[in-house]
């Protein structure tokens, strides 16, 4: 009987000294993994996502005017902090951390300086919050009749650029958790939607 008791004591001591520490290590490692996963999911849930969208519309409140523009928006769940923004077009790259280059870009592509233009730029350290949309990032406005006769010097050359997909916008940014992202959009427009607007009722 005593021998049996000693045998159980031996097994208990073996479990106590070898298995228990191992279980502690496993539980600790698993807990650390769960914390890591939780932090990762939290950061991913606040991920920003920037995108550029071309729009060409006939103004609903003024059907004699046509508007061509590029809209930039943050369609993610967290703020985006800009690190770098550049425009590539016809083999040239335009980049600035502090001011808009749109007038220079348009001038180099046969679009007149006199064109009515609203412009913005993604400058370094600018913040786009989740849901932000910059409607006047690049906006040209002109009378419909001049656009349709093909002699208009502002929107027509711009339309030619985005129809051919020659304009690429690239942005690098990071989240509030300092995770870096990059986005590149080739600006190309589907003109079938615009043609529908020109049809007679």
């Amino acid at each position: 009987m005593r021998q049996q008791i000693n045998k159980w004591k031996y097994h208990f001591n073996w479990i106590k000294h070898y298995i228990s520490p191992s279980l502690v290590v496993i539980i600790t490692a698993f807990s650390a993994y769960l914390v890591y996963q939780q932090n990762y999911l939290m950061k991913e849930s606040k991920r920003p996502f920037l995108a550029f969208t071309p729009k060409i519309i006939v103004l609903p409140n003024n059907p004699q005017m046509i508007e061509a523009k590029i809209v930039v928006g943050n369609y993610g769940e967290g703020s985006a902090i800009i690190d770098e923004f550049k425009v590539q077009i016809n083999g040239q790259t335009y980049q600035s951390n502090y001011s808009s280059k749109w007038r220079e870009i348009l001038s180099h592509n046969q679009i007149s300086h006199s064109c009515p233009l609203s412009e913005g730029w993604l400058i370094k350290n600018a913040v786009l919050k989740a849901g932000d949309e910059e409607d006047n990032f690049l906006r040209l406005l002109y009378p419909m009749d001049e656009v349709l006769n093909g002699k208009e010097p502002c929107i027509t050359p711009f339309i030619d650029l985005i129809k051919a997909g020659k304009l690429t916008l690239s942005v690098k940014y990071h989240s509030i958790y300092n995770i870096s992202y990059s986005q590149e959009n080739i600006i190309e427009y589907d003109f079938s939607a615009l043609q529908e607007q020109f049809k007679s009722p």
Side-chain angles (χ1 to χ4, degrees):
M1 185 70 174
R2 184 179 295 276
Q3 189 176 7
Q4 187 71 19
I5 291 171
N6 288 337
K7 185 179 178 181
W8 280 111
K9 280 185 177 180
Y10 170 79
H11 285 300
F12 176 77
N13 288 333
W14 187 87
I15 291 169
K16 181 180 177 182
H17 287 95
Y18 293 99
I19 294 188
S20 294
S22 299
L23 284 173
V24 169
V25 169
I26 290 169
I27 291 168
T28 302
F30 185 66
S31 299
Y33 172 76
L34 289 178
V35 170
Y36 169 81
Q37 280 293 100
Q38 188 176 18
N39 286 338
Y40 173 79
L41 291 172
M42 180 182 67
K43 291 175 182 179
E44 280 297 296
S45 71
K46 294 296 181 182
R47 176 177 181 167
F49 178 77
L50 301 188
F52 302 91
T53 308
K55 296 183 179 181
I56 301 175
I57 61 170
V58 178
L59 293 183
N61 58 347
N62 187 353
Q64 299 307 311
M65 300 296 287
I66 188 169
E67 179 184 59
K69 61 184 177 180
I70 296 174
V71 176
V72 59
N74 180 359
Y75 306 107
E77 296 297 326
S79 295
I81 301 140
I82 305 302
D83 295 316
E84 177 184 291
F85 173 66
K86 63 184 178 182
V87 176
Q88 295 165 294
I89 183 167
N90 289 328
Q92 281 192 282
T93 298
Y94 301 85
Q95 187 175 348
S96 172
N97 286 333
Y98 308 108
S99 59
S100 173
K101 305 283 282 183
W102 281 121
R103 289 191 180 273
E104 181 183 346
I105 293 167
L106 298 180
S107 176
H108 289 174
N109 289 276
Q110 292 74 55
I111 299 175
S112 169
H113 272 293
S114 63
C115 293
L117 174 69
S118 299
E119 59 181 320
W121 197 259
L122 295 180
I123 62 173
K124 188 176 178 65
N125 295 323
V127 178
L128 266 73
K129 295 180 181 178
D132 277 0
E133 198 171 61
E134 178 50 61
D135 205 43
N136 291 329
F137 182 64
L138 178 63
R139 180 175 182 264
L140 294 163
L141 191 66
Y142 229 75
M144 172 78 78
D145 56 350
E146 295 191 29
V147 175
L148 293 178
N149 67 26
K151 297 179 181 178
E152 188 278 313
C154 300
I155 291 180
T156 303
F158 177 72
I159 286 174
D160 289 341
L161 285 174
I162 63 173
K163 186 176 182 180
K166 294 179 179 178
L167 182 64
T168 301
L169 307 183
S170 305
V171 60
K172 293 181 180 179
Y173 54 98
H174 62 275
S175 70
I176 58 173
Y177 298 106
N178 211 31
I179 300 173
S180 296
Y181 305 96
S182 62
Q183 195 71 32
E184 181 175 280
N185 283 69
I186 297 174
I187 305 300
E188 221 169 349
Y189 189 81
D190 177 7
F191 281 85
S192 60
L194 187 65
Q195 289 166 357
E196 288 297 317
Q197 296 184 66
F198 291 148
K199 289 180 180 179
S200 301

